[in-house]
Amino acid sequence: MIYYKTSDEVELIRKSSLLVGKTLAAVAAAIKPGMTTLELDTLAETVIRDHGAVPSFKGYNGFPGTLCVSVNEQVVHGIPGNRVIQDGDVVSVDCGAFMNGFHGDSAYSFLVGNVPAAAVRLAKVTKESLYLGIGKAVAGNRIGDISHAIQSYCETQLGYGVVRELVGHGIGRELHEAPEVPNFGTRGRGVQMQEGLVIAIEPMINLGGRQVVQEKDGWTIRTRDNKVSMHYEHTVAVGKEKADILSSFEEIEEAVSKNEYLITTEEVTEQ
Ligand code: MG
Ligand code: MG
């Protein structure tokens, strides 16, 4: 069943979501070639706990990390560990924080150094598709309107692979609530949205085919063709006139622009 939130509850989800943004900004400030994904995870856990919150993912169905760190062909659910980040890597970092009884959830793909131009374009398009989806998160619209906006932009117009097996979701007292928010679908179909619905919208877009497989660790999802994938996510409250984005990329993108080892989605290095 769908739990609609009061405006007070929406504000609590905003607090948790903004803490996720702050945590991802700390990751953005620290990330550089030579670091392990576990070092990023330790940093993120410290930020979350220092703010009196708890990492949403740690222990969720047995997941061991605070972050999901997925590199290059890895799409989502990468386990932090001793993998060393290299120049040219795409590092997708997903994070959740639980505070005052509510979760926040957000993700960002970081471009480390000499990332191929095609991957930088994919990152830009994936982020644009997230905002196209958010634009449909308005009372009276249906979930399929969000799904269609993302799919039609990434897949139909640009030929990228839109992952089917993993989807966005309602969020609140539970990390994953109803309804599912797929990144593919048909306009005018699905649950009709009302004010008070809070959802995580999270396009996962592949440079190649849409097919994914699970790695032997039982968690990590990667592309079947081993081509790069991107993941951006916001927690969003459905509004009467427009969606209210509860998480924020502002601090993250400020940190990205100051980190000499990262490039932004606006910078394409021709190789
Ligand atoms: Mg997430
Ligand atoms: Mg999510």
Side-chain angles (χ1 to χ4, degrees), residues 57 68 93-96 104-107 169 175-176 200 202 231 233:
F57 300 173
C68 294
V93 182
D94 195 349
C95 183
D105 189 5
S106 184
H169 50 93
L175 178 61
H176 295 128
E202 49 179 316
H231 182 211
E233 176 180 26

Side-chain angles (χ1 to χ4, degrees), residues 39-117:
E39 287 177 285
L40 295 176
D41 191 75
T42 304
L43 169 69
E45 181 168 6
T46 302
V47 175
I48 289 172
R49 295 201 190 274
D50 281 354
H51 287 80
V54 172
S56 299
F57 300 173
K58 200 158 191 162
Y60 185 88
N61 292 331
F63 188 78
T66 289
L67 302 176
C68 294
V69 186
S70 310
V71 182
N72 297 336
E73 75 284 356
Q74 296 175 341
V75 179
V76 287
H77 301 170
I79 301 174
N82 55 14
R83 181 167 181 163
V84 177
I85 294 163
Q86 315 279 343
D87 179 72
D89 278 348
V90 171
V91 183
S92 295
V93 182
D94 195 349
C95 183
F98 180 75
M99 193 166 59
N100 304 309
F102 289 90
H103 293 274
D105 189 5
S106 184
Y108 201 93
S109 291
F110 297 103
L111 311 173
V112 183
N114 265 314
V115 173

